[in-house]
Amino acid sequence: MFKCTMIAPGIACGPAVIWATAGESIRRQQVSLPSVPAEIQRFDLARRRAHRELNEIASRAEATIGHSAAAIFTAHGQLLDDPKFFEPVLRRIREQQMGAEVAVHATIEEFAGRFASLGNSRLAARAEDFAELGDRLLKHLRKEAPKQAPCLSNPSVLIANHLGAADIIALDRNNLLALAMIENGPTSHAALLASALGVPVVAGVAQLSGRVRDGDTVIVDANHGYILVNPSALAIQEYRMRREIFDRFSTELAELRDVPAVTPDGRVIHLGANVGLLEEVPYALTQGAESLGLLRTEYFYLAHGEPPTEEEQYDFYAAVVRSIAPRRVTFRTFDLGGDKSPSASSAAEANPMLGCRGIRLLLECGDLLVSQIRALLRASHYGPIRIMFPLITSLTEFQETMLIVRQIEQQLRDEGVPFDNRVPYGCMIETPAAATIADILASEVEFLSIGSNDLIQYTLVADRTNLRVAHIYEPLHLAVLRMMRTIIRAGHRRDRTVSLCGEMAADPIYSIILLGMGVDELSMSPVMIPAIKQIIRGVTWAEARDVARGVLRQQRAKDVAAYLENMMESRFPRMMSIYGSDEDPLASVPGSDCHISVETKSPVVPRNDQTTPVVTGI
């Protein structure tokens, strides 16, 4: 049994088909000086052929999946035409007399390394885009035949060591029961496209490599993030039952896509999606997202390697707004620094998470803030948006930021540039400082958004990525829950909506207590929107408030967890059987003796919505 990361939920069982792609050694390390022009010509020819191939793939992607999928390959083609990419290749050939293959490989490694070293899974996943582009160029330089996707003659589970986005487009979906990508990251373009295949998909299970062979019976439990190789007859029987339950459950959830998240006694909760890429928007809509509750703009910044221009930002923001209008987009301004190091600030810091990050960096780099706000306001011409600022810790920070914003708005008016002059501005509540003065902030902001990931981390002084203290990072710690209640109360006293956009929003265990405390909006990974919507529609707000009161009477986080799990097991037993426990899913199956290999496991809005009456929680 191997743990992995869910990309698309579901359960499947069948024979394994292994698709291994082996890398080839690079020939022609160096060339003679007279051969340099011919080597440059080889590279230019390979670049043109790769461009034509990408255009063909984009056309197939447009026909089979849609415009957003096609945009991935269009972007790859644009990279081929970008001097920032091809000039370093030419420079290596001219100045170092590298063979074209070596020059391409070295340049790809340089670009991919920038992203892989950033310490952020979504940004590191962009390294896969460069690797895929490099593989394509190298194949054309070697004049190799295009790689053929496997043809599944019988219903099978496809296991691949690594897939590119184009490989997903080429997959024959007939007889595909499930897909396991051993090396791909969960936020790679291949993973995003695979989520639309309509089958269970998992990724990031490196320890599976070499441990499964063609024809082995494999169970993919994407709900809990497990792959079972050659399971017992009892395990197969157990999972057949679970699959039937999940299939019925999924049918019910699909019927909820276009209905509101409203409790039986009339409390409406707005459900949005957290995204960082334009390609994620269509999937968010298919899952029933009512808005983009958090658009992480820093991913666009870091994908450029240097600060993007106002026009580059405007094109991206406008495309996002148009893709979801008339629904709303909430843009978070660049949340740079900390674990997302920008080129805008090269100064080393001993403790970057307590250093110049978020709004602090934007105020220090005024030009960056100005170009982003101008681009965002120009994009507001195409649909409703909100703008929120990260890591606000004082009223002064927000006031200083808004002074700049008002000056930018006046500049745009003077220039005759159209924009929505009613854009709401809010702030992220991510620190104990901001939580403590939430009532003061609420007097000036137009909405509050709880960033639960950082709020938990800063409150408990525990880095969740540090294995030595990860057990201290506890969303159900009473200090965290009381702080959230304080924030929600402060916002409601000023008639401000309060949203939560951290990972807590996507966990069924936490949804009822958040509802009971009075949160107005939840923004989460799109895949969990249907399940959270079912919970909200299945419990009254009065009951949720009683649960929240009961939770806050506990004294320890483990008591809170037990209280919530018992309640959820009694009210939503099928939900808990599917998404509940992270423990060994076969612990209760007699005779089960599986080795567990540990891997990392992740787990239409009115235009004038600010005037909606806000009701209090507990």
Side-chain angles (χ1 to χ4, degrees), residues 386-465:
R386 299 193 306 186
I387 297 174
M388 62 183 179
F389 305 107
L391 209 73
I392 292 285
T393 56
S394 70
L395 181 62
T396 300
E397 280 179 329
F398 183 78
Q399 290 174 331
E400 289 177 358
T401 305
M402 288 306 301
L403 182 61
I404 297 171
V405 168
R406 298 309 180 197
Q407 291 171 348
I408 295 170
E409 289 178 337
Q410 188 56 50
Q411 288 173 357
L412 292 175
R413 292 188 191 98
D414 293 343
E415 295 169 14
V417 176
F419 71 95
D420 182 1
N421 59 15
R422 297 172 294 124
V423 170
Y425 295 90
C427 69
M428 299 281 289
I429 306 293
E430 303 171 272
T431 65
T436 304
I437 62 166
D439 57 331
I440 298 174
L441 292 171
S443 67
E444 296 217 10
V445 305
E446 293 171 88
F447 64 97
L448 297 172
S449 181
I450 301 172
S452 63
N453 297 349
D454 270 345
L455 182 61
I456 297 166
Q457 178 169 256
Y458 285 125
T459 299
L460 302 180
V461 200
D463 179 359
R464 59 187 174 141
T465 66

Side-chain angles (χ1 to χ4, degrees), residues 302-351:
L302 291 162
H304 280 67
E306 60 183 43
T309 65
E310 178 185 327
E311 287 305 313
E312 289 172 331
Q313 292 183 65
Y314 164 71
D315 289 342
F316 172 66
Y317 302 149
V320 172
V321 173
R322 283 194 292 257
S323 72
I324 201 166
R327 297 171 176 85
R328 183 191 67 207
V329 185
T330 299
F331 289 97
R332 180 177 67 191
T333 55
F334 296 135
D335 188 9
L336 298 165
D339 60 342
K340 299 184 283 290
S341 302
S343 58
S345 176
S346 57
E349 294 181 292
N351 193 339

